[in-house]
Amino acid sequence: MLVASRHGAHPRRRRAGGNGVADELALPLAGGLALLLAFVTAAAVLSGGDRREEGDRRRPDLPGGAAGPRVAIFSAPLPPPDSSPARQELAVRSWLALPGNVSVVLLAAHPSAHALAGRLGGRVTVDAAIDISFTGTPFFHSIVARAQAADSDICVLVDAEIILLPETITLLKHFSRSDLDWLVFSASRNISAFPYHLVDNGTQWADEHGKQVSFKKENQSDKWAGHGSDRGLIVAWNNPSTRMVAGVMPSFLNGRGVHNWWLIHEVLSSETRLVFDASNLVLGLYPENFSEKRGTSTSRNVSNPDGSWEYDVNRHLAALYGSYCYELPRRNSPMVYKVVKQFEDYMFSKNEGPNLSNSVINKEQNVHPEGGSLCEKEISYSSAVNLPHSLEVLLELVADKNRSVVLAVAGASYRDMLMSWVCRLRRLRVTNFVVCALDQETYEFSVLQGMPVSRDTLSPNNVSFDDCHFGTQCFQQVTKVKSRIVLKILRLGYNVLLSDVDVYWFHNPVSFLHSLGPGTFAAQSDEFNQTGPINMPRRLNSGFYYARSDDATITAMEMIVKHATNSGLSEQPSFYDILCGKDGANRIGDDRCLEPSTNLTIVFLSRDMFPNGAYGGLWEKKHGVSSACRELGCVIIHNNWVNGRRKKLHRQMASGLWDYDPGSRLCLQNWSNASRFSVQTDDPVSYDS
């Protein structure tokens, strides 16, 4: 019997053309002998563990003496009307009926998920800490990362409406006896009707006549047809802390095709795990053809109800990342092992063909009836991804009940900071924001990261990556774009909170700012002196202000845009000179101005609540800016009064007021591995490529 060493926490990528695990076992072997060894290694996973079964039953780490591995099932249920609550509940009940130590994690924030968990007991929990696009669609790479952080022996990913049969746990228990890293997948079966229900407190299936069924005879593979849909796949793997793929997992939209097949293919090509195809077994049932579910819409996707652009995004990503669209080397290439069952024994056979082209890419073509190869289309056209939404439609989708929106304007030089800003808003459950991209690169990045983004075609084309900070000519050009876009949105009937992406939000300020009432323009003060008036000349910060869509504000903004257009400075002096008058002629008291022609009141916001980057030395406090702001009652803090993009990035990252991991392209969550994310102390740079 061969004994393989267990992979480390971060398995290295093997040399091209090798057999991964087999290489570790027998480096001197080559050709047919190495291939034979790979077969033996795979066989050890399926059949070599019977001798350890008794030891598994006595494992002390399983609560309540439950037999077998700890299995965590992860799923991201959609809210109604995009899904069937009845089918979801039946599916989750089937998971809880599986024998052994099984728990369920629903990755969602909507009330229906919490209601479902409340009905089903303590083994079902809800975790909303995953990345979600503006349409409400979860990101697949965030779901996988959350599963990888689980304290379990085996993770399972499955659609929220797939019924899992007891065979699932039987197979996983068998696999769990191996010390090797593995991944197993299976295509669920489509059924027109499911005439079974759970009895005995949800532990036993019965037919429509009340007769108990075991599914050992009822689930022959030729009775229910399988379907190669990506959404219909069941994927499971062991050792969650061990790396899945060698490279970066792109930001696939969950349930929008390709991502499961891409993951399987990339695990295989990365040679981090043995890969098994258990589709010959009936592990899961779905009471409807998945291909009929392609038209699933989201409540925030009204202008494009079939969601086809989300499928386009996933196909685009699959073609760009990894080896999904490329054939693996034929000589000594990694293999997928088919799992079959004869009587009560599991056996395996090599997949015909040395790569995944038949098992993966051709199956996925069945989901796209327009014909042609998914990969050939994407590679030949290399078309940019685009949202099918105009700015007007985006505003309609995201605006809150008061018709208020939060606007950020950013270019490629501040892409990481933009993403950290978006991650923070997502954590605060702020959904009424929209991004204006200054360049095509930022626009495409924002689309792929699930932002409601619009491309400003009139933006300057010569935006510098490292030399576009305060005082530069580039800065002057970019700031004038912001006021022009704000004016456009105001004219469309929406209130606007303009927030630079270097403004960190502790709390959502929109309700407070809106409560200041009509005829009011609220802005951050850029005054750095601790005492004295905060509305002194040129101390209005145009990087954070709230403008209402009323006649007075629109007229004032028109004057600001005109003044800035004819100025050789940035837009910021234009704001003060128009609203407060030259040298502060329109000042009222220490914190207000009154624009005489419109009767618009300008409110300079409290610096304790809305501090700028120089106020009180908050960024330099020894006990940390976060703690200092908590004591002060900050709503936001601006990371300005620092010269240069790199210094600005470093100060914010080092302070802990940072919510994005550029390496994984994921928002940082309470379950994230913070040790993977570090700040360079000398010359921090953007990690995105």
Side-chain angles (χ1 to χ4, degrees):
M1 176 179 174
L2 294 175
V3 180
S5 61
R6 188 182 182 89
H7 297 319
H10 297 285
R12 67 185 184 276
R13 180 158 184 143
R14 279 75 174 182
R15 53 188 171 82
N19 270 315
V21 176
D23 286 346
E24 290 189 349
L25 294 174
L27 290 174
L29 300 181
L33 190 55
L35 192 63
L36 175 62
L37 186 54
F39 270 107
V40 175
T41 303
V45 175
L46 285 178
S47 60
D50 288 340
R51 301 175 185 85
R52 297 178 56 192
E53 182 174 3
E54 193 63 32
D56 284 346
R57 289 196 183 105
R58 294 192 298 266
R59 284 177 52 178
D61 57 326
L62 298 180
R70 297 168 299 166
V71 178
I73 300 176
F74 292 85
S75 190
L78 294 173
D82 301 332
S83 63
S84 167
R87 283 205 297 263
Q88 284 184 356
E89 181 161 347
L90 179 63
V92 178
R93 287 186 182 277
S94 76
W95 308 344
L96 297 175
L98 296 172
N101 190 359
V102 176
S103 61
V104 174
V105 182
L106 302 179
L107 302 172
H110 48 84
S112 60
H114 289 275
L116 178 60
R119 291 193 299 271
L120 298 182
R123 284 199 293 152
V124 181
T125 58
V126 178
D127 191 348
I130 58 168
D131 296 359
I132 298 176
S133 78
F134 81 96
T135 63
T137 306
F139 281 106
F140 180 69
H141 69 321
S142 184
I143 292 174
V144 173
R146 172 61 184 88
Q148 289 288 87
D151 182 22
S152 62
D153 301 313
I154 297 173
C155 292
V156 180
L157 297 186
V158 63
D159 185 86
E161 296 184 8
I162 290 179
I163 297 167
L164 294 181
L165 301 180
E167 183 79 41
T168 304
I169 290 297
T170 305
L171 179 67
L172 294 181
K173 282 185 177 180
H174 215 92
F175 271 83
S176 71
R177 297 166 188 154
S178 170
D179 284 332
L180 300 175
D181 294 337
W182 48 261
L183 178 144
V184 59
F185 66 93
S186 178
S188 59
R189 305 303 177 104
N190 299 319
I191 55 174
S192 58
F194 187 71
Y196 307 104
H197 61 279
L198 286 164
V199 296
D200 293 341
N201 294 321
T203 60
Q204 178 64 49
W205 289 102
D207 62 18
E208 53 193 344
H209 303 295
K211 182 180 178 181
Q212 292 188 355
V213 294
S214 65
F215 289 111
K216 290 184 178 180
K217 295 182 179 180
E218 291 82 352
N219 66 352
Q220 296 95 339
S221 59
D222 58 349
K223 181 178 180 180
W224 294 313
H227 196 281
S229 161
D230 187 86
R231 187 175 171 185
L233 285 177
I234 304 161
V235 182
W237 65 94
N238 68 335
N239 300 331
S241 61
T242 304
R243 175 182 289 185
M244 293 279 282
V245 299
V248 174
M249 187 175 297
S251 52
F252 290 116
L253 292 161
N254 190 60
R256 300 299 186 256
V258 184
H259 55 72
N260 280 320
W261 283 124
W262 183 94
L263 175 63
I264 295 164
H265 193 283
E266 202 62 21
V267 169
L268 185 74
S269 63
S270 298
E271 300 183 72
T272 56
R273 296 169 180 267
L274 290 171
V275 178
F276 295 86
D277 181 356
S279 296
N280 285 326
L281 309 178
V282 182
L283 303 184
L285 303 175
Y286 185 76
E288 186 178 327
N289 193 321
F290 267 111
S291 62
E292 297 175 7
K293 296 291 288 182
R294 183 178 173 177
T296 297
S297 65
T298 66
S299 57
R300 305 188 75 185
N301 199 15
V302 293
S303 69
N304 197 261
D306 68 352
S308 60
W309 68 271
E310 294 187 315
Y311 288 84
D312 292 339
V313 164
N314 279 13
R315 291 195 293 270
H316 180 81
L317 289 170
L320 288 179
Y321 286 84
S323 58
Y324 183 81
C325 284
Y326 302 92
E327 286 193 5
L328 301 176
R330 289 186 172 273
R331 183 182 178 185
N332 297 332
S333 63
M335 290 181 294
V336 176
Y337 302 95
K338 287 186 178 180
V339 181
V340 296
K341 191 173 186 180
Q342 291 186 358
F343 302 103
E344 295 300 318
D345 295 325
Y346 293 107
M347 305 181 69
F348 80 98
S349 63
K350 187 185 73 167
N351 232 347
E352 292 301 324
N355 55 55
L356 271 182
S357 59
N358 291 329
S359 181
V360 175
I361 297 177
N362 289 344
K363 283 187 178 181
E364 188 61 28
Q365 287 178 17
N366 297 332
V367 189
H368 308 294
E370 63 266 22
S373 168
L374 175 157
C375 294
E376 288 178 1
K377 284 186 176 182
E378 288 296 336
I379 293 174
S380 61
Y381 290 111
S382 297
S383 57
V385 291
N386 293 283
L387 286 182
H389 303 314
S390 64
L391 175 62
E392 291 78 5
V393 171
L394 287 175
L395 294 172
E396 180 183 354
L397 288 173
V398 306
D400 67 11
K401 62 181 181 180
N402 295 318
R403 292 179 66 82
S404 295
V405 297
V406 181
L407 172 67
V409 180
S413 58
Y414 282 92
R415 196 171 63 182
D416 285 353
M417 190 162 277
L418 165 66
M419 195 62 224
S420 179
W421 182 84
V422 168
C423 288
R424 182 59 186 170
L425 264 60
R426 287 174 177 170
R427 175 167 285 200
L428 293 174
R429 301 288 181 253
V430 177
T431 59
N432 61 323
F433 69 90
V434 65
V435 174
C436 176
L438 296 175
D439 50 69
Q440 187 62 26
E441 180 183 356
T442 304
Y443 174 80
E444 292 185 24
F445 172 81
S446 300
V447 172
L448 296 178
Q449 293 297 323
M451 303 181 210
V453 59
S454 176
R455 170 77 165 95
D456 182 62
T457 57
L458 300 179
S459 299
N461 295 322
N462 58 340
V463 177
S464 170
F465 192 84
D466 280 317
D467 194 25
C468 201
H469 51 82
F470 183 83
T472 63
Q473 184 177 3
C474 173
F475 178 84
Q476 295 171 9
Q477 293 176 315
V478 169
T479 59
K480 294 176 183 180
V481 173
K482 296 190 293 186
S483 55
R484 177 171 50 78
I485 296 169
V486 169
L487 178 57
K488 180 178 181 179
I489 296 175
L490 292 175
R491 286 171 172 169
L492 291 171
Y494 297 92
N495 311 312
V496 180
L497 171 55
L498 185 283
S499 176
D500 283 351
V501 296
D502 61 350
V503 175
Y504 186 86
W505 290 33
F506 295 102
H507 308 285
N508 185 354
V510 175
S511 296
F512 169 78
L513 296 172
H514 189 75
S515 71
L516 297 176
T520 301
F521 182 97
Q524 184 180 52
S525 171
D526 223 16
E527 178 59 59
F528 57 88
N529 289 316
Q530 287 283 106
T531 60
I534 63 174
N535 59 350
M536 295 297 287
R538 302 286 174 89
R539 287 300 180 228
L540 188 152
N541 190 299
S542 61
F544 187 87
Y545 62 85
Y546 185 75
R548 279 177 170 264
S549 179
D550 53 34
D551 292 340
T553 305
I554 291 174
T555 301
M557 284 298 300
E558 289 172 345
M559 293 190 293
I560 291 169
V561 170
K562 182 178 179 180
H563 186 278
T565 301
N566 299 320
S567 169
L569 303 174
S570 70
E571 67 168 6
Q572 189 152 299
S574 297
F575 270 84
Y576 190 90
D577 290 353
I578 291 296
L579 298 177
C580 293
K582 189 175 181 181
D583 297 325
N586 302 332
R587 288 176 55 212
I588 299 177
D590 291 342
D591 62 356
R592 292 175 184 251
C593 294
L594 182 66
E595 202 291 309
S597 66
T598 60
N599 204 35
L600 180 67
T601 299
I602 293 81
V603 176
F604 286 73
L605 296 166
S606 161
R607 290 177 298 166
D608 284 352
M609 295 176 64
F610 300 89
N612 60 62
Y615 177 66
L618 293 174
W619 284 102
E620 289 76 34
K621 293 292 185 182
K622 290 184 178 180
H623 57 292
V625 60
S626 181
S627 177
C629 276
R630 190 181 305 112
E631 295 176 4
L632 202 59
C634 301
V635 178
I636 59 97
I637 185 171
H638 204 151
N639 185 15
N640 63 344
W641 286 92
V642 58
N643 192 29
R645 179 187 69 89
R646 292 170 180 259
K647 291 181 180 179
K648 186 185 293 278
L649 275 170
H650 180 251
R651 181 163 80 170
Q652 190 158 337
M653 287 181 175
S655 72
L657 301 184
W658 189 262
D659 289 82
Y660 176 58
D661 179 2
S664 64
R665 293 179 173 88
L666 286 168
C667 295
L668 295 174
Q669 308 287 358
N670 53 13
W671 45 262
S672 299
N673 182 0
S675 63
R676 292 191 305 108
F677 177 72
S678 60
V679 181
Q680 296 183 7
T681 57
D682 51 353
D683 197 19
V685 296
S686 172
Y687 298 104
D688 282 315
S689 57

